[in-house]
């Protein structure tokens, strides 16, 4: 399934989810047909494939970690980022292990992403239960939300306290823990508030649950104010709301940066194109050389016949070179692609996927019948 998102009149995004195979690789072909009005003059006569290629970008990222709050809190779950952080922090404080700072960063970002993803799922479930008026299930869901998020935050903030004792203020590890703490706090606050608003038609039946949600949300706001985090609206500052929105965006971008794969663009298409262009020049020069030898053999040097033959040879040499270059430029994408990119995992350094982009600029009448219909 392709998710199409229109960000603006000049920015269109398509999103496709591919599973990562554990044992075998596989290929997927995706064809995009983009039609433009004739007034824009987007045709092969006005724009080259290279210029059109610069208007497209391919990115790859991991999906958000799908881990429930129960799995996150399970101390026996060795894949839980919270459990891993507890183990790494203990090793760092006791100096019993050498865990790299980048590993800490990745787990902090993964923990924040896990919270964000699971909070979105729970919020959707809350809205569905409220719409269907399933009060008992809704009470249980909300009770688990207070309990599990509160316990998770308690355990994580104990780690933050340990790191603040172990490192001086301003240390990059302490800053990373604080950023993760602030990001998770924002998620818990906003999700609790959204849940509270979704219960508005049921306030009479779920008054206590609604009150607990509001208290939970305000507790996180008060905590961030106490910690002097930037994501708090201050009184008397009319720009603080925009500053909080900006801060929230920065934290979200930081936490999700661990999901993005590093693109490495292959130079193979350019190298093959260079070799073929050189081949075209060599063929053209061969023709010109043979023509010059022929002129030297059968005509007197510097005579009118000799000069005309050399001039014609030069003209044909230039046309042969340009014609072959145009031919080869159409052949290269068929052999390779206009652009080849590999995507590398930032943590393991392994290549996870590769994309090949081929662009054809054609008339609408040249499209396959099923596309025209």
């Amino acid at each position: 399934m392709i998710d199409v998102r229109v960000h603006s009149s000049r920015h269109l995004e398509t999103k496709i989810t591919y599973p990562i195979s554990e044992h075998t690789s596989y290929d997927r072909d995706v064809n995009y047909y983009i039609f433009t009005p004739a007034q824009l003059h987007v045709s092969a006569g006005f724009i080259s494939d290279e210029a059109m290629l610069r208007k497209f970008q391919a990115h790859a990222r991991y999906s958000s970690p799908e881990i429930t709050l129960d799995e996150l809190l399970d101390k026996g779950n060795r894949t839980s980022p919270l459990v891993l952080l507890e183990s790494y922090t203990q090793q760092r404080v006791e100096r019993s292990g050498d865990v790299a700072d980048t590993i800490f960063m990745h787990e902090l970002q993964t923990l924040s992403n896990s919270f964000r993803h699971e909070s979105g799922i729970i919020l959707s479930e809350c809205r569905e239960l409220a719409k269907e008026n399933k009060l008992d299930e809704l009470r249980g869901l909300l009770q688990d939300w207070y309990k599990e998020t509160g316990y998770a935050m308690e355990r994580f903030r104990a780690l933050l306290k340990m790191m603040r004792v172990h490192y001086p203020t301003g240390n990059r590890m302490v800053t990373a823990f604080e950023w993760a703490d602030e990001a998770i706090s924002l998620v818990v606050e906003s999700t609790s508030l959204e849940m509270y608003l979704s219960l508005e038609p049921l306030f009479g039946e779920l008054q206590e649950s609604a009150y607990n949600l509001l208290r939970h949300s305000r507790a996180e706001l008060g905590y961030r104010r106490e910690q002097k985090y930037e994501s708090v609206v201050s009184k008397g500052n009319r720009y603080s709301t925009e500053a909080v929105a900006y801060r929230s965006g920065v934290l979200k971008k930081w936490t999700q940066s661990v999901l993005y794969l590093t693109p490495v663009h292959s130079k193979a298409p350019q190298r093959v194109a260079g070799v073929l262009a050189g081949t075209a020049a060599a063929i053209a020069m061969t023709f010109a050389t043979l023509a010059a030898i022929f002129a030297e053999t059968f005509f007197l040097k510097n005579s009118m016949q000799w000069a005309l033959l050399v001039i014609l040879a030069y003209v044909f040499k230039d046309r042969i070179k340009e014609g072959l270059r145009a031919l080869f430029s159409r052949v290269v994408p068929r052999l390779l692609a206009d652009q080849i990119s590999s995507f590398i995992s930032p943590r393991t350094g392994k290549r996870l996927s590769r994309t090949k982009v081929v662009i054809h600029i054609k008339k609408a009448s040249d499209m396959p019948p099923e596309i025209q219909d």
Side-chain angles (χ1 to χ4, degrees):
M1 180 179 179
I2 300 179
D3 180 16
V4 180
R5 302 178 183 180
V6 180
H7 293 281
S8 68
S9 60
R10 296 174 177 269
H11 187 186
L12 178 68
E13 176 188 359
T14 59
K15 182 179 179 181
I16 308 174
T17 301
Y18 294 112
I20 298 178
S21 176
E22 295 183 2
H23 305 292
T24 60
S25 60
Y26 60 91
D27 297 329
R28 291 288 185 273
D29 292 331
V30 180
N31 297 316
Y32 294 96
Y33 296 89
I34 301 176
F35 296 86
T36 60
Q39 295 86 341
L40 296 180
H41 300 292
V42 180
S43 63
F46 288 91
I47 185 170
S48 64
D49 290 350
E50 293 80 5
M52 182 61 73
L53 183 63
R54 289 193 292 269
K55 300 181 183 296
F56 294 88
Q57 293 183 352
H59 300 281
R61 52 159 283 184
Y62 290 112
S63 297
S64 297
E66 297 182 4
I67 181 170
T68 65
L69 289 176
D70 286 335
E71 294 170 337
L72 191 70
L73 295 171
D74 183 5
K75 293 185 178 181
N77 182 10
R78 299 301 300 172
T79 62
S80 166
L82 180 58
V83 174
L84 290 173
L85 283 170
E86 288 174 332
S87 174
Y88 295 159
T89 304
Q90 195 67 31
Q91 293 178 36
R92 181 64 64 91
V93 171
E94 295 177 355
R95 303 182 186 277
S96 59
D98 186 18
V99 181
D101 288 353
T102 54
I103 302 299
F104 264 104
M105 300 286 186
H106 286 157
E107 294 303 333
L108 286 168
Q109 292 167 311
T110 302
L111 177 64
S112 303
N113 291 323
S114 300
F115 253 98
R116 187 182 303 277
H117 182 265
E118 184 63 14
S119 296
I121 292 177
I122 294 175
L123 176 59
S124 299
E125 187 176 351
C126 175
R127 287 170 173 167
E128 286 297 321
L129 292 175
K131 188 182 299 183
E132 297 173 4
N133 207 24
K134 296 181 178 180
L135 301 183
D136 292 336
E137 294 183 33
L138 194 53
R139 287 192 186 94
L141 176 71
L142 298 178
Q143 186 175 1
D144 290 341
W145 169 255
Y146 320 135
K147 180 181 177 181
E148 292 175 347
T149 54
Y151 182 44
M153 299 300 289
E154 179 183 347
R155 285 171 58 179
F156 178 72
R157 285 165 183 168
L159 301 180
L160 172 59
K161 185 177 180 180
M162 292 171 62
M163 296 300 285
R164 282 173 171 169
V165 172
H166 187 70
Y167 287 107
T169 303
N171 179 272
R172 66 192 297 261
M173 288 300 301
V174 176
T175 301
F177 267 84
E178 290 175 346
W179 279 34
D181 183 34
E182 186 178 4
I184 295 172
S185 177
L186 279 168
V187 170
V188 173
E189 180 200 0
S190 61
T191 305
S192 298
L193 189 58
E194 289 291 334
M195 287 180 175
Y196 172 81
L197 295 175
S198 69
L199 298 182
E200 185 176 1
L202 304 174
F203 277 168
E205 295 87 345
L206 298 172
Q207 185 175 2
E208 182 180 355
S209 298
Y211 171 74
N212 288 334
L213 281 173
L214 192 59
R215 184 176 59 182
H216 201 42
S217 176
R218 289 177 175 174
E220 288 303 317
L221 177 61
Y223 170 79
R224 295 200 310 279
R225 182 177 286 114
E226 178 185 330
Q227 297 296 317
K228 297 182 180 179
Y229 289 152
E230 297 180 28
S231 55
V232 178
V233 177
S234 58
K235 296 180 180 179
N237 184 357
R238 61 175 180 171
Y239 300 109
S240 62
T241 303
E242 290 82 355
V244 170
Y246 175 77
R247 177 65 174 176
S248 178
V250 169
L251 291 173
K252 182 179 179 181
K253 186 175 293 186
W254 174 74
T255 57
Q256 292 187 342
S257 64
V258 71
L259 301 176
Y260 284 89
L261 305 181
T262 305
V264 177
H265 299 296
S266 172
K267 295 183 179 180
Q270 292 86 345
R271 289 171 178 167
V272 173
V275 170
L276 293 179
T279 303
I283 293 173
M285 191 61 193
T286 300
F287 169 80
T289 302
L290 293 176
I293 294 173
F294 178 82
E296 291 280 353
T297 303
F298 293 97
F299 300 102
L300 183 64
K301 188 175 182 180
N302 296 331
S303 65
M304 181 63 69
Q305 296 88 339
W306 177 88
L308 288 174
L309 188 57
V310 170
I311 292 171
L312 288 174
Y314 177 80
V315 172
F316 277 103
K317 164 187 166 295
D318 188 58
R319 292 302 90 203
I320 290 172
K321 183 177 73 172
E322 293 301 322
L324 289 175
R325 287 182 63 180
L327 174 64
F328 290 155
S329 66
R330 292 194 294 269
V331 170
V332 170
R334 296 180 183 178
L335 296 176
L336 295 173
D338 288 311
Q339 185 184 81
I340 301 176
S341 301
S342 298
F343 293 95
I344 311 299
S345 171
R347 180 165 181 172
T348 63
K350 295 182 179 180
R351 190 184 76 178
L352 298 181
S353 64
R354 184 173 64 174
T355 62
K356 293 183 178 181
V357 180
V358 180
I359 290 181
H360 299 290
I361 302 178
K362 297 183 177 181
K363 296 180 180 179
S365 57
D366 296 334
M367 293 295 101
E370 61 271 17
I371 300 300
Q372 294 186 36
D373 296 339

